[in-house]
């Protein structure tokens, strides 16, 4: 039987209103009555109705959620998770404001974060940091002023941020190295395609990838092939000679589909094993057509949902942060299971 305030009121011969005031520390209740109600609640293992409590308090919270524009397909999935959780929580006075920033414009994102903190309009910030070090100072300044900041997907681990939801990117890089080794079987030469913007996330992927290769006999990587999202097609074609000499390629950037498209155009006599990250319709297409061998996914919908939920629990329910780093699982997607990872 569910124990309610009415149950306690009936057993003590009190009004429901009196019991409600005692349980929620609201209004005048004599110390003697308060003691009786709390003891009976403990005896009956009473669990408060959090929804009713929140609604009765009429508490209002507004948080800003800041993340980049690119790659659009990935952040669209993140936003699906954010909105899914928000729809469950908005009736309790919990509001969100989504703000998008350019992918690698660090100065713009620092300014956006500073403006959010200084505005006085928000009660907290959930942030996907474009890079770790440049944002550390502004995050720390916000935290020290009493402004809660939580990170997701892209972390600033040396900052004083309250919590992080996202992948372990060194593990991502190691997993990519393991996949290349297993798909090529023997001693092989690999290419590592990175972004010209050497962000913290990129550094972690590269560290993990190189770490795995150094532990394996007969595996080597040619110099990192650095690309940018502007004029990507021309850059890939310029790297054709490098690509022709390798057995496998790890695309550590968010440009897996673009790299696959250019490799397909090369009409190579021997297709390299191609490994990268995330999922969209183009990646789905190239997996089915054996241009991409495998991609590593990190459940962006879940990341978005959990990041919002953690901020709600901490700010609205005033619950302490028990897990500072919620590391999401990495999932390997190949031609055989890709149908489960594409959404309309």
């Amino acid at each position: 039987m569910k124990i309610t305030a009415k149950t306690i009121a009936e057993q003590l011969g009190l009004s429901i209103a009196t019991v409600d005031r005692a349980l929620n520390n609201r209004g005048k209740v004599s110390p003697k009555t308060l003691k009786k109600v709390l003891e009976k609640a403990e005896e009956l293992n009473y669990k408060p109705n959090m929804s009713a409590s929140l609604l009765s308090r009429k508490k209002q919270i507004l948080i800003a959620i800041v993340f980049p524009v690119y790659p659009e397909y990935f952040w669209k999935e993140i936003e699906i998770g954010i909105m899914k959780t928000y729809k469950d929580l908005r009736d309790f006075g919990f509001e969100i404001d989504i703000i998008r920033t350019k992918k690698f414009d660090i100065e713009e994102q620092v300014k956006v974060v500073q403006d959010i903190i200084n505005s006085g309009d928000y009660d907290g910030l959930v942030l996907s940091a474009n890079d770790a070090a440049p944002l550390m100072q502004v995050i720390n300044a916000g935290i020290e002023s009493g402004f809660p900041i939580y990170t997701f997907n892209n972390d600033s681990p040396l900052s004083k941020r309250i919590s992080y939801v996202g992948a372990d990117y060194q593990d991502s890089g190691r997993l990519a190295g393991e996949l290349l080794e297993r798909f090529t079987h023997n001693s092989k030469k690999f290419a590592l395609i990175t972004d010209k913007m050497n962000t913290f996330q990129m550094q972690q992927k590269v560290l993990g990838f190189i770490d795995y290769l150094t532990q394996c006999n007969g595996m080597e990587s040619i110099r990192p092939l650095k690309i940018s999202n502007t004029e990507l097609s021309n850059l890939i074609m310029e790297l054709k000679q490098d690509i022709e000499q390798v057995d496998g390629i790890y695309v550590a950037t968010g440009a897996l589909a673009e790299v696959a498209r250019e490799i397909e155009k090369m009409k190579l006599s021997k297709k390299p094993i191609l490994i990268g990250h995330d999922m969209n319709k183009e990646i789905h297409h190239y997996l089915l057509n054996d241009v991409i061998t495998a991609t590593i996914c990190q459940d962006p919908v879940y990341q978005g949902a959990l990041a919002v939920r953690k901020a709600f629990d901490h700010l609205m329910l005033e619950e302490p942060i028990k897990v500072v780093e919620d590391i999401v699982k990495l999932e390997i997607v190949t031609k055989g299971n890709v149908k489960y990872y594409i959404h309309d």
Side-chain angles (χ1 to χ4, degrees), residues 91-232:
D91 289 342
F92 302 119
F94 184 77
E95 295 293 335
I96 64 173
D97 185 8
I98 294 175
I99 301 169
R100 308 289 293 271
T101 60
K102 295 175 184 176
K103 184 186 179 187
F104 288 129
D105 194 332
I106 305 299
E107 289 183 3
E108 179 206 11
Q109 196 178 60
V110 168
K111 184 178 184 306
V112 166
V113 171
Q114 286 177 329
D115 288 347
I116 288 169
I117 295 169
N118 296 335
S119 70
D121 296 332
Y122 299 96
D123 300 290
L125 167 65
V126 177
L127 169 69
S128 179
N130 280 353
D131 200 1
L135 280 150
M136 184 169 67
Q137 185 174 350
V138 68
I139 290 173
N140 288 350
I143 293 291
E144 288 164 5
S145 71
F147 186 80
I149 299 175
Y150 318 82
T151 59
F152 75 113
N153 190 258
N154 293 319
D155 194 14
S156 181
L158 297 181
S159 72
K160 297 178 180 179
R161 51 89 170 118
I162 294 172
S163 66
Y164 166 66
V165 174
D168 181 320
Y169 289 105
Q170 278 201 42
D171 281 352
S172 294
R174 290 189 194 96
L175 182 56
E178 181 180 353
L179 289 172
L180 283 178
E181 179 197 22
R182 291 182 182 276
F183 278 114
T184 51
H185 304 298
N186 301 316
S187 301
K188 298 292 180 180
K189 182 181 285 187
F190 301 118
L192 169 63
I193 295 181
T194 69
D195 201 295
K196 287 185 177 179
M197 297 297 293
N198 192 28
T199 62
F200 172 74
Q201 183 187 120
M202 191 59 56
Q203 292 169 13
Q204 294 298 297
K205 289 179 181 176
V206 171
L207 280 172
F209 182 73
I210 299 300
D211 178 62
Y212 186 85
L213 261 59
T214 56
Q215 296 177 37
C216 300
N217 295 324
M219 293 179 67
E220 62 174 304
S221 174
I222 66 172
R223 62 180 176 80
L225 310 177
K226 296 185 178 182
I227 64 174
S228 67
N229 297 310
T230 57
E231 302 179 353
L232 185 143

Side-chain angles (χ1 to χ4, degrees), residues 301-312:
V301 173
Y302 173 75
Q303 282 192 51
L306 182 58
V308 174
R309 171 62 70 173
K310 289 198 77 163
F312 174 84

Side-chain angles (χ1 to χ4, degrees), residues 12 14 18 22 29-39:
L12 293 176
L14 298 171
T18 298
V29 180
S30 71
K32 182 179 178 182
T33 300
L34 177 62
K35 184 173 182 294
K36 283 170 59 178
V37 170
L38 294 181
E39 287 177 349

